[in-house]
Amino acid sequence: MDLDTAPAAAVEPLLADAGEAKVSVAVPDTGSGAQAVYGDGTFDTAGIVKVDILAALLLRAQDERRVLTSDERDRAAAMIERSDNAAATALLRAIGGSKALDAANARLGLTGTTAAHAWGLTRTTAADQLTLLKAVFGTGSELSAASRSYLRRLMGQVEAGQQWGVSAAGSDWALKNGWMPRTTTGLWDINSIGQVRADGRTCLVAVLSGGQRTKETGIALVESVAKAAVGVLDAAR
């Protein structure tokens, strides 16, 4: 199977009834290094930026040679597990705002992400989200082993109503989703990032989308795209 063309063949039929929706997906096999990628461009992060905010907070705590305070831990858990927006706003302020998030992203190797004060409007790419996931789930990261373990644990226990997205592509998932209606168009940004186990392999998965007609149709499309991209890697074995 040609991994340069197979992702498009798998994903494009799923977009036939998606209207104005645009999608980008990237799925590397962490074992073999094979990668299935479809689409490009930048997208609003919506709530997936909360993983980025927590990574930046953990980097700051590492630099200060301390653990997170009880207040920071409470807000971090609320932000990742329940997608609490007030907690995200407070923690972004605590790290120093959007400029500090950009600085943390530079350390983590993200090159196509631009932080916004209104954090859901941060712009990113699927490639950058994979870089962030590798920093969380891989080794040799700016994040310490303890920081990585902490972030992974929170992503593995998001509340029941938010366990959609990349989880559709496998089991033993750890994820963070983002969803946001745009007031100018009434259309939705629907995103999902994380790690899953599928057919004996571990895959990182990043699916970004914009222009979705509803939250529900957007979730369904993101899940279908995640499954299709992971399936391409399975077929390529």
Side-chain angles (χ1 to χ4, degrees), residues 2-3 26 31 34-35 39 64 77 80 85 114 125 132 173 196 215:
D2 183 354
L3 286 177
Q35 185 162 285
E64 295 171 351
I80 301 298
N85 291 337
T114 304
T125 64
L132 178 61
W173 50 264
V196 300
K215 179 182 177 182

Side-chain angles (χ1 to χ4, degrees), residues 7 29-30 37 39 51 53 56 73 78 84 105 109 114 128 135 140 145 160 171 180 182 201-202 220 226 234:
D29 179 338
T30 58
V37 178
V51 174
I53 292 170
R73 289 196 302 274
D84 185 273
N105 284 338
T114 304
D128 262 16
S171 61
M180 180 176 69
R182 296 306 309 271
R201 71 171 71 203
T202 300
D234 291 337

Side-chain angles (χ1 to χ4, degrees), residues 14-236:
L14 304 175
L15 304 177
D17 298 319
E20 299 177 35
K22 296 183 178 179
V23 173
S24 181
V25 58
V27 182
D29 179 338
T30 58
S32 70
Q35 185 162 285
V37 178
Y38 173 82
D40 54 18
T42 59
F43 295 77
D44 299 325
T45 57
I48 61 171
V49 75
K50 293 167 181 174
V51 174
D52 202 7
I53 292 170
L54 182 50
L57 177 67
L58 290 166
L59 283 177
R60 178 171 178 168
Q62 289 174 198
D63 291 344
E64 295 171 351
R65 300 183 183 277
R66 65 174 180 86
V67 298
L68 297 187
T69 66
S70 60
D71 184 60
E72 288 171 336
R73 289 196 302 274
D74 288 345
R75 285 176 168 160
M79 180 174 70
I80 301 298
E81 295 176 2
R82 303 194 300 277
S83 206
D84 185 273
N85 291 337
T89 299
L91 291 180
L92 180 61
R93 186 183 306 117
I95 65 170
S98 57
K99 289 184 179 180
L101 186 57
D102 281 334
N105 284 338
R107 290 176 62 181
L108 293 169
L110 280 67
T111 60
T113 299
T114 304
H117 173 71
W119 42 260
L121 297 178
T122 294
R123 299 287 288 177
T124 194
T125 64
D128 262 16
Q129 290 305 300
L130 283 188
T131 298
L132 178 61
L133 290 172
K134 289 174 182 176
V136 174
F137 292 95
T139 58
S141 167
E142 285 280 316
L143 292 168
S144 69
S147 292
R148 296 195 303 271
S149 177
Y150 177 67
L151 238 171
R152 291 195 298 264
R153 178 168 59 83
L154 294 184
M155 292 175 70
Q157 53 195 36
V158 299
E159 65 180 20
Q162 298 178 27
Q163 294 174 8
W164 48 265
V166 300
S167 56
S171 61
D172 298 328
W173 50 264
L175 61 81
K176 182 70 188 78
N177 297 321
W179 58 96
M180 180 176 69
R182 296 306 309 271
T183 55
T184 54
T185 63
L187 301 175
W188 285 76
D189 298 321
I190 305 289
N191 305 319
S192 186
I193 61 172
Q195 179 177 271
V196 300
R197 289 283 297 170
D199 292 325
R201 71 171 71 203
T202 300
C203 294
L204 302 175
V205 188
V207 186
L208 307 180
S209 76
Q212 304 276 15
R213 287 187 291 250
T214 68
K215 179 182 177 182
E216 292 73 22
T217 59
I219 289 172
L221 180 60
V222 163
E223 291 187 334
S224 295
V225 168
K227 288 189 286 187
V230 170
V232 166
L233 288 184
D234 291 337

